[in-house]
Amino acid sequence: MRKRLSPPPYSPEIATQLTAFWQGVATLELKYDTYFTSTPSRRSQWQEPQPSTLTENLVLQCTKAPVRLSLHPHLPEEIAQETRALFQQLFGA
């Protein structure tokens, strides 16, 4: 018997925006692959250095409206600007 999952805590509109945002983040990670593969992850628990990701360089606060974005201060400005533009495009904040 399958266990029932509780409904997502977000409205359908926010859930759609979040899905689009994370897809955009994946696209930006591919675009800036050279940077992320050459920068070691700060969160890796492996013995060997692991590549960084855009995901580990941002925080989305989405439990209360409006959704807010915070970026790590060491993220290159070009990547930060494109991430902010993606966020602005989807959330208008």
Side-chain angles (χ1 to χ4, degrees):
M1 178 181 238
R2 291 180 65 171
K3 189 176 183 180
R4 273 192 127 184
L5 300 175
S6 60
Y10 311 113
S11 69
E13 179 185 4
I14 296 291
T16 300
Q17 290 168 318
L18 288 171
T19 298
F21 179 77
W22 291 117
Q23 289 171 345
V25 164
T27 300
L28 287 173
E29 283 184 345
L30 288 174
K31 179 177 180 179
Y32 293 104
D33 181 63
T34 302
Y35 169 78
F36 290 114
T37 56
S38 66
T39 305
S41 173
R42 293 183 316 278
R43 295 184 180 177
S44 176
Q45 296 180 10
W46 295 90
Q47 295 284 341
E48 298 292 320
Q50 298 295 308
S52 180
T53 65
L54 180 53
T55 303
E56 76 180 49
N57 285 283
L58 66 85
V59 173
L60 274 183
Q61 297 172 329
C62 46
T63 55
K64 295 180 185 177
V67 176
R68 290 187 269 172
L69 172 70
S70 300
L71 298 172
H72 192 278
H74 291 23
L75 194 62
E77 189 57 33
E78 182 179 1
I79 299 172
Q81 285 179 354
E82 286 198 47
T83 306
R84 284 187 201 101
L86 172 67
F87 181 81
Q88 178 78 23
Q89 175 188 354
L90 293 168
F91 295 97

